[in-house]
Amino acid sequence: MDTTIPGNEPTPSVQIDADRLEANITAMAAATRARGVALRPHAKTHKIPEIGALQVAAGAVGLTVATVGEAEVFAGAGVEDLFIAYPLWVDSAKGDRLRRLAARARITVGVDSAESATALARNLGPAVGEVAVRVEVDSGHHRSGVAPGDAAGVAVAAAEAGLRVTGAFTFPGHSYAPGMPVTAARDEDAALDRAAAGLRAEGLAAAELSGGSTPSALMGGGTATELRPGVYVFGDAQQWELGTIGPGDIALTVAATVVSHHRRTPGEPGHFLLDAGSKILGSDRAAWATGYGRLLEHPEARIVALSEHHATVQWPAGEPLPARGTRLRVVPNHVCLPVNLVDEVQVVRDGAVIDRWAVAARGRNS
């Protein structure tokens, strides 16, 4: 991994290590291929068509997105198979957009109620058979999704409304906690098994069973036919602390500059300020996280406070503080946020910026 921060770029800035990015994409593609499972990475993590193209070229069957707007961006970039993994509520305007999308790519959307299914069918109009649907089930994250035993009822309502039901999906989001990835993967298997059995009992297709998160992606028992990890492409401080990855796997960092020192008491940990605050790092901090981010080359340091343009770093006791003007790599807690907070990212190889990629799906929230 390159450890040189380009010195002629303003900070803070989001930088992607091209070698590590490519290695992460290749590794996940190979791992899912070896398991005989389709890979459909979640592109809300990166929102960048160039990265989506690398994932598809490595073997992904298509991409996952969270919104119709994201789907429009990636379809416009040439991605031919997109799953909007969200329980959409479709009005006439979104129905028009989905019809146009379906003319350009294979589009699948999520539903988790009979009401959302019938609204989708009504507003697709004559294109009702051109958009596939999967029923979302709750496998333990307790966000959206119906109980697995209720999936068949939603699927029947969707089919009766004229929609083409192809299976079910879930997000085992409770994998994002210490000691939980294996449990979440087992919960995912059980939920998809039960949902699939219900759909088949009603004579409906259950060929597409989609799951997966970065912590649990490779831990399931094989029920899922498709996995949708997203964060794996970059890594972040949460994955580092969960032990899913090591610091050598992290492809995205925020380059930041030491701008100020705190006074320090002899023998106590030192503190200094970086010019990267919540407006570029995001402010997510899980209850179990040890800080608001990590420093890639200084794993003992922690970001202990954030304001909009300041990050307060706690430095080990007895160690001299980095000089003002020192440039450091910050590993954000939740990597999806920094990407959505900038217009472009810098692509770095061998210590030099070799490209700049627009975050084309930034702000496409509807």
Side-chain angles (χ1 to χ4, degrees), residues 106-194:
R106 178 181 185 264
I107 301 297
T108 305
V109 305
V111 295
D112 75 348
S113 68
E115 291 84 359
S116 63
T118 54
L120 171 64
R122 180 173 63 252
N123 287 298
L124 284 174
V128 66
E130 297 174 18
V131 174
V133 298
R134 295 171 177 171
V135 178
E136 183 177 12
V137 296
D138 178 11
S139 57
H141 188 42
H142 305 319
R143 190 174 63 182
S144 53
V146 295
D150 294 334
V154 176
V156 167
E160 289 177 346
L163 293 165
R164 180 163 48 91
V165 179
T166 61
F169 75 105
T170 190
F171 173 58
H174 51 311
S175 63
Y176 284 82
M180 287 301 294
V182 171
T183 297
R186 290 172 179 163
D187 291 344
E188 172 188 288
D189 284 341
L192 290 176
D193 266 333
R194 186 169 183 189

Side-chain angles (χ1 to χ4, degrees), residues 247-326:
D249 301 312
I250 291 170
L252 183 148
T253 55
V254 174
T257 300
V258 178
V259 295
S260 179
H261 286 177
H262 277 279
R263 290 175 296 176
R264 65 184 298 174
T265 302
E268 293 297 321
H271 294 78
F272 60 86
L273 295 177
L274 294 170
D275 61 355
S278 62
K279 284 191 171 178
I280 194 165
L281 295 176
S283 56
D284 271 13
R285 180 179 180 178
W288 47 265
T290 61
Y292 288 95
R294 306 283 292 272
L295 301 186
L296 186 59
E297 284 83 25
H298 304 279
E300 70 283 3
R302 294 292 186 278
I303 296 176
V304 295
L306 280 182
S307 50
E308 291 183 42
H309 297 285
H310 303 73
T312 302
V313 179
Q314 182 173 293
W315 201 246
E319 295 291 328
L321 295 178
R324 295 173 182 85
T326 301

Side-chain angles (χ1 to χ4, degrees), residues 10 29 32 55 63 92 134 144 172 199 209-210 230 263 281 299:
T32 51
Q55 292 172 314
L63 296 178
S92 60
R134 295 171 177 171
S144 53
L199 266 61
L209 301 175
S210 181
R263 290 175 296 176
L281 295 176

